[in-house]
Amino acid sequence: MSKYDSLASFIISNVGGSDNVVNVTHCMTRLRIKLKDLEKANITALEENKGIVSCQKAEGKLQVIIGTHVGEVYEDVIRKLGITESSNEVAEEKGSFINRFAATITKIVVPVLGVLCACGIIAGVNSVLIATKIIETGSGANILLNAMGNACLTFFPVILGYTSAVAFGMDPFVGMILGAVLIFPNIAVDMNSGDVLFSIFSGSPFEMGIFKTFFGLPIVFPSNGYTSTLIPIMLINFFASKVEKVLKEKLPAVTKQFLAPFLTILVAGTFGILIIGPVSMIIQNGLQAALAWLIDKSQILAFAVITLIYQPLVIFGLHWPLVTLGIMEFMTVGSSLIVASIFPASFTHMAACLAVFLRTKSTKMKNIALPAFLSACFCIIEPSIYGVTLPVKKRFGFCMLGGLVGGLILTITNSPMFAISMGTTGIMSFVNPQASSFAGLIWCLVACIAAMAVTFTLTWITYKPGEDGKNEDDVNYNKKSNKETIVSPMNGKVKALSSMCDPAFANGGLGKGICITPDDGNIYAPCDGEVTALFPTGHAIGITSDSGAEILIHVGTNLYEGKEALFVKHIKQGEKVKQGQLLISFDLKKMHESNLDTETAVVVSNSDDYIDVIFNDDKSVKAKNPIYTLIRSKTEANLSLKEA
């Protein structure tokens, strides 16, 4: 049994079973699970699992945030689902164009980031060694380090030829060959040699000269070739995947092995060079021109927007198109101010995690904040977002503000990155290899320190004791009595939790409790305490009592999204409430008319912290009347008496 075998089984079970799974992919920290029916996913149960940081619906998929070891969990999940990685990748993508585009960019670019950053670090080391005169330009060390540092970008179309082919479900080796055609040695020189036959787009940024033809058809080939480009090979392989699919369907089985790749390369390669390549370069140049125009109009405003939207985009996994624009900028001019402007973001999360780690008294939060801090050092900020900053939303705002300050410092001082690398290892990428200048490195340090200072200071001074939960060693030791009574949050009929349709509650996995079929649409506070969780739709609310009991009230099933109009929230997350206070109202009549389930679970999420939960033997219950009693151990009660 592998390390994450049980977690993989738990995930599959709580996304509606293997029959509900269309495909599974992953990025650097999260599983992206395409489901036939998103509503079958039990997000509450998934988020309760200690091996899962958070869950959300985005891009038409369920995103399960795991952490940097997500690749190992992914392997166990697809193994249990009985699908191969290649067949998994080709599952049909549906949803909006934006969602499909973002998902495709993610699948193509993310697998490359490891080697891209690795080469960027080597390029940065080379720049530092040249700038400090430790090695000389043209020396053997410089030549070798330069080759290793630039190999990834030089042969980027070949590398993306593989990843894009996998994303589009075609033979990855065919994809690599098509990428190699674009950067074949001397092809750019040969295609642009001799006399110009004619030019197109004369006098514009897209002007191209025609030097050669293919059986009378003009060949438009950029003078600097397709080295270090993204869009051309992506579009060519998209076209090639359609060609290959048709060929594999039509060709006799005995000839497919060699005829399919032969015809795919011939057709897609020719069409790619004649049509797709030039069109894609126009698109790429157009994007660059639009970005340059925006920056020219107001550089500060343009990069302020980029730095502000980057971190919220990370939440939904939609930041890769923005990163891709930065990579395109780098490939065009040899440096990137876009990537530089978002560079300080990970440092703000380092600062927030450090401040929380130093301030919190919660053992649980300390155990979350420290690993999240270490992950942020390498620009993996999802553990920080979902574990430390986003749960207390002001912290996430402080990170955005710190990122804005740091990004604008680098923008105003015009300090781009000369290699693509993020996190603490990317600092040396600000050394200019041509001018052997450390000015960019100095401004990078200033920007990152300023970003961290803003975030750390605001997080530190606004920190409130208890907002991360109580110290696990002290939970429930603040009452004189060894028992606590929980009252009913609503009027209705009572039945056993095990009879519920929702298996997450029925099997007791979310804690002990009861099920109430409501007589009206009012939910009241079952105890004095704090609202520690409030689902956006209003159908689920978590209350932590003053003595530490964690009460979850969950109305119905399949209400995770699109049902906001049914519920009215009278309180906010983080608000203190009194027993009997009205929390939420919902339209019970409309729910019945829409055939929506109204079974309401009232459970003690941390019931394992109690030696017993005693239920009242009632068939019906009135709001604000007792429904069960929580019993703590005598040792805990004695400790509470001593503290009192």
Side-chain angles (χ1 to χ4, degrees):
M1 181 180 292
S2 65
K3 183 177 180 181
Y4 298 107
D5 187 85
S6 60
L7 178 58
S9 298
F10 178 84
I11 291 172
I12 293 171
S13 173
N14 285 280
V15 298
S18 57
D19 290 341
N20 193 40
V21 178
V22 177
N23 77 322
V24 185
T25 57
H26 74 93
C27 59
M28 298 185 75
T29 58
R30 66 188 77 189
L31 292 173
R32 298 168 183 268
I33 307 176
K34 180 70 174 179
L35 301 175
K36 295 175 183 176
D37 185 356
L38 266 172
E39 299 299 333
K40 289 184 178 180
N42 192 333
I43 294 180
T44 303
L46 288 166
E47 291 188 331
E48 288 288 328
N49 191 292
K50 293 181 179 179
I52 297 171
V53 177
S54 182
C55 294
Q56 63 185 11
K57 297 175 183 178
E59 304 177 33
K61 297 180 181 180
L62 178 68
Q63 298 189 2
V64 182
I65 295 86
I66 302 291
T68 53
H69 56 286
V70 66
E72 299 173 69
V73 179
Y74 165 78
E75 291 177 1
D76 281 343
V77 169
I78 64 170
R79 175 176 55 79
K80 285 181 173 294
L81 289 171
I83 54 180
T84 63
E85 189 163 351
S86 57
S87 64
N88 184 40
E89 293 288 351
V90 304
E92 182 182 6
E93 294 289 343
K94 297 181 180 179
S96 70
F97 171 78
I98 293 177
N99 284 340
R100 288 184 284 118
F101 174 75
T104 301
I105 290 293
T106 299
K107 286 192 287 187
I108 294 172
V109 175
V110 168
V112 185
L113 290 180
V115 293
L116 184 62
C117 289
C119 289
I121 294 170
I122 295 173
V125 169
N126 188 38
S127 299
V128 171
L129 294 177
I130 290 290
T132 54
K133 309 298 183 183
I134 294 177
I135 63 175
E136 295 181 358
T137 302
S139 66
N142 170 235
I143 293 171
L144 182 56
L145 289 173
N146 183 66
M148 290 188 288
N150 291 287
C152 183
L153 288 175
T154 300
F155 298 100
F156 216 44
V158 178
I159 298 171
L160 292 182
Y162 181 89
T163 60
S164 60
V166 171
F168 297 133
M170 61 178 282
D171 185 340
F173 294 103
V174 171
M176 292 175 69
I177 292 298
L178 290 171
V181 170
L182 293 177
I183 61 169
F184 193 77
N186 298 319
I187 189 173
V189 175
D190 293 340
M191 286 291 190
N192 291 281
S193 63
D195 297 328
V196 177
L197 302 178
F198 58 91
S199 296
I200 59 173
F201 304 120
S202 299
S204 75
F206 311 110
E207 181 175 357
M208 297 179 185
I210 306 301
F211 294 85
K212 298 289 188 296
T213 63
F214 180 79
F215 295 106
L217 299 174
I219 299 176
V220 181
F221 205 95
S223 58
N224 57 350
Y226 291 103
T227 299
S228 302
T229 58
L230 285 86
I231 294 180
I233 187 59
M234 291 183 188
L235 294 182
I236 290 173
N237 272 359
F238 176 75
F239 174 75
S241 68
K242 305 302 181 183
V243 174
E244 184 186 70
K245 182 179 180 181
V246 172
L247 290 171
K248 287 185 174 181
E249 290 175 351
K250 302 296 184 182
L251 289 172
V254 71
T255 63
K256 285 182 183 179
Q257 185 174 1
F258 64 90
L259 271 185
F262 160 67
L263 292 173
T264 301
I265 293 170
L266 184 62
V267 173
T270 302
F271 190 74
I273 293 294
L274 295 179
I275 305 297
I276 299 177
V279 171
S280 64
M281 287 306 298
I282 291 172
I283 294 173
Q284 184 162 312
N285 292 340
L287 289 172
Q288 291 296 324
L291 183 62
W293 176 84
L294 180 61
I295 293 173
D296 181 64
K297 290 297 182 182
S298 177
Q299 179 170 320
I300 293 179
L301 177 60
F303 281 97
V305 172
I306 289 172
T307 56
L308 281 174
I309 67 173
Y310 172 70
Q311 294 186 51
L313 287 177
V314 172
I315 297 175
F316 301 102
L318 298 174
H319 56 299
W320 296 116
L322 182 60
V323 175
T324 302
L325 279 176
I327 296 174
M328 288 170 52
E329 177 193 28
F330 178 83
M331 292 174 173
T332 303
V333 299
S335 63
S336 177
L337 198 54
I338 293 178
V339 179
S341 68
I342 62 179
F343 183 81
S346 61
F347 290 84
T348 66
H349 285 269
M350 289 167 56
C353 290
L354 181 60
V356 171
F357 178 80
L358 296 175
R359 290 296 310 265
T360 186
K361 299 299 182 182
S362 168
T363 303
K364 179 179 179 181
M365 179 50 64
K366 284 184 180 291
N367 290 336
I368 293 174
L370 184 57
F373 169 84
L374 296 175
S375 294
C377 289
F378 300 98
C379 200
I380 307 296
I381 62 176
E382 283 90 344
S384 168
I385 290 175
Y386 296 107
V388 180
T389 60
L390 198 59
V392 183
K393 293 180 178 58
K394 62 184 178 183
R395 294 178 191 162
F396 189 77
F398 299 154
C399 289
M400 290 178 62
L401 182 59
L404 174 64
V405 171
L408 288 182
I409 289 175
L410 292 171
T411 300
I412 293 170
T413 59
N414 192 30
S415 302
M417 296 183 73
F418 296 92
I420 303 297
S421 184
M422 302 299 284
T424 53
T425 56
I427 292 175
M428 53 190 150
S429 300
F430 284 84
V431 177
N432 188 335
Q434 304 300 323
S436 298
S437 170
F438 284 97
L441 174 62
I442 294 172
W443 281 116
C444 168
L445 293 173
V446 170
C448 292
I449 292 172
M452 292 183 73
V454 168
T455 307
F456 183 91
T457 302
L458 291 174
T459 303
W460 181 276
I461 63 178
T462 62
Y463 183 88
K464 295 180 180 179
E467 65 185 358
D468 286 315
K470 301 180 181 180
N471 187 330
E472 290 180 343
D473 297 330
D474 297 332
V475 170
N476 298 326
Y477 295 161
N478 59 343
K479 288 285 185 180
K480 292 183 179 181
S481 173
N482 70 331
K483 62 183 180 180
E484 178 180 4
T485 299
I486 303 299
V487 303
S488 176
M490 58 173 56
N491 300 308
K493 295 176 176 56
V494 179
K495 63 179 183 178
L497 199 66
S498 58
S499 66
M500 288 191 67
C501 299
D502 191 331
F505 290 106
N507 63 20
L510 295 178
K512 297 178 181 179
I514 62 171
C515 173
I516 301 176
T517 303
D519 291 338
D520 57 50
N522 293 324
I523 301 176
Y524 303 92
C527 55
D528 293 346
E530 180 181 344
V531 179
T532 48
L534 181 59
F535 206 86
T537 57
H539 80 283
I541 183 171
I543 308 287
T544 300
S545 75
D546 289 342
S547 65
E550 298 172 4
I551 311 299
L552 172 63
I553 306 168
H554 189 285
V555 181
T557 55
N558 299 330
L559 299 177
Y560 294 108
E561 58 183 32
K563 304 294 189 298
E564 289 85 348
L566 295 174
F567 294 83
V568 178
K569 294 174 282 190
H570 301 288
I571 39 76
K572 298 178 181 178
Q573 185 166 329
E575 186 175 327
K576 290 284 187 179
V577 295
K578 291 291 185 181
Q579 186 181 91
Q581 179 180 337
L582 181 63
L583 304 177
I584 294 171
S585 301
F586 59 93
D587 194 331
L588 184 64
K589 181 179 179 181
K590 182 176 279 189
M591 290 180 70
H592 285 156
E593 291 173 350
S594 302
N595 293 319
L596 294 174
D597 178 29
T598 60
E599 286 185 333
T600 301
V602 184
V603 301
V604 185
S605 301
N606 62 336
S607 53
D608 288 344
D609 293 342
Y610 297 85
I611 61 174
D612 202 0
V613 179
I614 301 174
F615 300 96
N616 290 8
D617 189 18
D618 296 322
K619 299 301 181 184
S620 62
V621 70
K622 295 292 185 182
K624 307 174 190 178
N625 286 349
I627 51 174
Y628 45 72
T629 303
L630 309 178
I631 307 297
R632 289 191 296 273
S633 69
K634 292 182 179 179
T635 303
E636 291 176 347
N638 290 337
L639 286 171
S640 299
L641 288 169
K642 290 179 180 179
E643 288 183 354

